Amino acid sequence: MGLKNDIRRDLMINVSIAKVGRAKRKAKDMMLGTDMEQYQKLWNYAATVRDTNAGSTVKMQIDKPPDGSRGTFQRLYYYLYACKKGFLDGCRPIIGLDGCFLKTAFGGQLLSVLGRDGNDNMVPIAFAVVEVERYDSWKWFLELLMADLGMGRDNIPWTFISDRQKGLVHAVNELFPNSEHRFCLRHMYQNFNQKFKGKEMKDMFWAAASAGNEREWKMAMIELEKTNKEAAEWLSRIPPALWSRSHFTGYSKCDILVNNLNESFNNYILEARELPIIGMLEWIRRRLMQRIQTKRSGMQKFQGEICPNIAEKIDKNQKLSRTFVATWDGGHKLSLCPCMCGGVCRLPIKNYVHACYTRAEYLKTYAYTITPVPSDIYWITAEEESINPPAVRRMPGRPKKLRRRAQYEPKKGQVSTRKGLVAPEASAAEPIAESSTQPQSTSKGAPTAQSTTMTSKQARKPVHGTNMSGSNSADATTATATTTTAPTITDVLRKLRPKRSKAIQP
């Protein structure tokens, strides 16, 4: 509706939604090329990326017919060397897995793999374009990822967190048998909430999931069983190592319970998911190139030794622990030293923080750069034969643009608070003028009030007929300022209406 309204406002022409869609599609084809043309150039683009970014991996799986004719695109794996080295050198051994739908005519899904840097920000590692999300597509993607990353780092296996996608759990267990696999609690709670509703059930679910040790987890499960035995049995059927913080290992140096970073990445590339395949890959590559440079230059200006988000969490925990008193048990030595005033003081907090949260490790994550890819006229000519695009998979009904949100998630225009989902309140610093179409007060004995909005600059201007001190310079009839209402949409359109042509009614 945005382009339709712009045409109506600027050209005073009313066009249909279908015509606007065709015009936008034609403009995109002129700028980016059609979808079918881009699939025919994929081999050249892949060879150019591998040449400009040495060490990168771009592989494709083609559905080759037995008669030897031209093959059809099936899958693509995209892995940049700068992302690989940054993850291996400066990130914790935890990997998030997720997938999202592509919104082009050929459909498909984009599978993504993300890490976490020392400041708890997302680090894209690799992604793949597949026909559908299932066991064999996840297995194909993870096999290529395992060839690039290995089974772990420093004899520590990777820790995976996912949303329990179709076939993903079996693929991870098969390829990474020694790795820890966690489930995203937000998606797990959606399934739990379908059977066991209410705030009490929600609080008990999250109490069991966020328990710090096994004793607290057992106590939370006992309380849940007392309240609802079926809910406790439902949770007990899932191994606690997959969803409860009390059973997580400490290898990953991360105790997250949700896969929010992958959801943020899916929203981060929302614009690219509507582009043709090469346009989408180039959009993501350019954004990652800019992101690495921005993150690196921003942290170089930071003077602290611990990353800012982690330092903020430490300061918050220090305030909560002000009433704690450390005592010596006679065997283990405390990290205390004599003070000049005769007391004791603690060692610097950085001595108790793991190296993965420091500024130096963060800069290792963004020490490598992504090289630009030239225009298509300078691409390398690949030896492989050009391929056909995949078959169009058109689902019944109108294509969906937005993700289906759960019942407890905030909708558009809502804010999630502890009291529930509410509409954001208008700021007091920006008063909103009442519309002229709203009914005015007509009570007897009281004049009709008109709402006006005045900025601070307008308030300081002297009213006509008065000086700056407020004294009257004319007769009493000119001392009172006359209030005026803001022009309505009808007034604006009446001024813009052509004199010799039929106007469009507002």
Side-chain angles (χ1 to χ4, degrees):
M1 294 296 291
L3 182 58
K4 175 182 170 67
N5 293 335
D6 292 342
I7 296 174
R8 177 181 176 134
R9 183 186 66 248
D10 298 339
L11 304 178
M12 303 295 290
I13 299 174
N14 192 11
V15 296
S16 64
I17 291 293
K19 183 174 291 186
V20 172
R22 291 194 298 269
K24 290 177 64 177
R25 195 178 306 114
K26 187 175 182 179
K28 287 183 178 180
D29 292 344
M30 293 173 62
M31 292 186 300
L32 304 173
T34 62
D35 292 357
M36 300 184 67
E37 291 176 354
Q38 293 204 6
Y39 278 101
Q40 295 175 1
K41 299 179 181 179
L42 262 180
W43 284 118
N44 297 343
Y45 174 74
T48 306
V49 171
R50 290 192 295 263
D51 180 71
T52 54
N53 293 266
S56 301
T57 304
V58 182
K59 295 184 178 181
M60 283 189 288
Q61 180 173 317
I62 309 301
D63 186 11
K64 195 73 173 177
D67 58 358
S69 58
R70 181 184 294 184
T72 303
F73 173 85
Q74 190 173 8
R75 296 166 185 167
L76 180 140
Y77 175 79
Y78 198 87
Y79 187 90
L80 294 173
Y81 180 77
C83 299
K84 167 187 174 180
K85 290 295 294 181
F87 172 74
L88 293 177
D89 292 352
C91 292
R92 289 163 282 176
I94 185 167
I95 296 175
L97 306 171
D98 197 14
C100 60
F101 289 96
L102 300 179
K103 303 176 183 180
T104 62
F106 298 102
Q109 288 187 268
L110 183 74
L111 309 182
S112 58
V113 174
L114 269 69
R116 281 177 174 258
D117 60 21
N119 200 36
D120 271 348
N121 300 139
M122 66 178 182
V123 179
I125 305 172
F127 46 91
V129 179
V130 298
E131 70 283 6
V132 69
E133 187 178 8
R134 57 190 179 193
Y135 166 75
D136 58 338
S137 59
W138 273 114
K139 183 180 179 181
W140 178 82
F141 181 34
L142 293 178
E143 284 177 345
L144 295 174
L145 183 70
M146 182 174 61
D148 284 324
L149 291 182
M151 299 292 292
R153 185 183 61 190
D154 299 333
N155 296 326
I156 298 176
W158 304 120
T159 298
F160 294 96
I161 181 170
S162 67
D163 300 343
R164 302 173 66 184
Q165 289 95 332
K166 299 177 181 178
L168 176 58
V169 178
H170 299 292
V172 171
N173 294 337
E174 181 179 345
L175 297 176
F176 300 90
N178 298 325
S179 295
E180 179 184 359
H181 191 188
R182 305 176 186 176
F183 292 160
C184 177
L185 266 295
R186 187 174 67 85
H187 293 80
M188 186 173 171
Y189 173 71
Q190 290 182 2
N191 300 332
F192 180 84
N193 188 46
Q194 292 177 359
K195 297 183 178 181
F196 313 102
K197 302 181 182 297
K199 186 178 183 302
E200 185 179 11
M201 290 289 99
K202 177 182 178 180
D203 294 341
M204 289 188 173
F205 172 86
W206 286 103
S210 59
N213 51 65
E214 293 190 19
R215 182 174 179 83
E216 292 181 1
W217 174 78
K218 291 180 180 179
M219 294 173 61
M221 293 298 293
I222 291 174
E223 291 296 326
L224 178 61
E225 187 176 3
K226 291 180 181 178
T227 306
N228 193 321
K229 188 175 181 180
E230 294 182 1
E233 292 177 354
W234 188 91
L235 273 181
S236 299
R237 286 195 291 267
I238 306 175
L242 300 176
W243 59 274
S244 179
R245 181 179 292 164
S246 59
H247 291 72
F248 291 167
T249 62
Y251 297 140
S252 62
K253 301 296 183 293
C254 185
D255 60 351
I256 57 172
L257 298 173
V258 292
N259 199 18
N260 284 346
L261 286 188
N262 285 79
E263 300 291 343
S264 300
F265 179 75
N266 294 340
N267 186 63
Y268 181 73
I269 62 171
L270 187 62
E271 180 182 347
R273 290 158 58 185
E274 299 182 0
L275 301 177
I277 183 167
I278 295 181
M280 178 190 68
L281 297 176
E282 273 297 282
W283 191 99
I284 297 175
R285 187 198 58 78
R286 287 194 298 267
R287 284 300 181 94
L288 295 182
M289 179 179 66
Q290 298 170 1
R291 179 182 176 84
I292 289 177
Q293 188 275 332
T294 302
K295 293 289 185 181
R296 180 173 59 247
S297 60
M299 186 57 72
Q300 287 174 349
K301 300 175 183 178
F302 182 67
Q303 301 299 326
E305 296 187 24
I306 303 174
C307 293
N309 288 345
I310 306 303
E312 183 179 356
K313 294 180 181 180
I314 293 175
D315 292 340
K316 186 181 297 185
N317 290 331
Q318 281 183 313
K319 292 179 182 179
L320 295 175
S321 62
R322 286 179 298 179
T323 58
F324 293 175
V325 178
T327 56
W328 184 39
D329 63 355
H332 298 84
K333 296 182 180 180
L334 297 177
S335 297
L336 301 174
C337 59
C339 185
M340 296 298 294
C341 62
V344 292
C345 61
R346 290 176 294 181
L347 292 176
I349 195 65
K350 64 180 182 180
N351 292 9
Y352 302 94
V353 178
H354 195 271
C356 64
Y357 300 108
T358 60
R359 175 178 178 269
E361 293 295 317
Y362 182 93
L363 290 176
K364 290 181 181 179
T365 305
Y366 302 101
Y368 302 89
T369 58
I370 298 176
T371 307
V373 175
S375 176
D376 58 347
I377 61 176
Y378 301 103
W379 287 356
I380 298 174
T381 303
E383 298 178 356
E384 292 83 358
E385 183 184 7
S386 58
I387 57 177
N388 294 323
V392 178
R393 301 182 62 210
R394 190 174 299 277
M395 303 300 292
R398 185 174 181 177
K400 301 294 188 298
K401 287 289 185 181
L402 300 177
R403 178 178 63 88
R404 291 184 179 180
R405 295 179 178 267
Q407 184 179 1
Y408 62 88
E409 288 187 271
K411 303 296 188 295
K412 185 177 181 180
Q414 290 183 330
V415 178
S416 179
T417 64
R418 292 186 177 182
K419 297 182 180 180
L421 302 177
V422 297
E425 298 180 357
S427 174
E430 300 178 357
I432 302 176
E434 294 181 3
S435 174
S436 59
T437 59
Q438 292 182 355
Q440 305 292 338
S441 174
T442 56
S443 59
K444 294 183 179 181
T448 303
Q450 291 182 344
S451 174
T452 59
T453 304
M454 183 179 296
T455 63
S456 59
K457 291 184 179 180
Q458 292 172 341
R460 290 195 296 267
K461 291 182 180 179
V463 181
H464 178 69
T466 62
N467 54 23
M468 292 299 294
S469 62
S471 60
N472 197 350
S473 61
D475 57 352
T477 59
T478 60
T480 305
T482 304
T483 59
T484 58
T485 58
T488 62
I489 299 177
T490 306
D491 299 333
V492 175
L493 290 177
R494 188 177 292 112
K495 293 180 180 180
L496 297 175
R497 181 179 299 165
K499 294 182 179 180
R500 295 184 180 181
S501 60
K502 187 177 180 180
I504 298 175
Q505 296 298 330

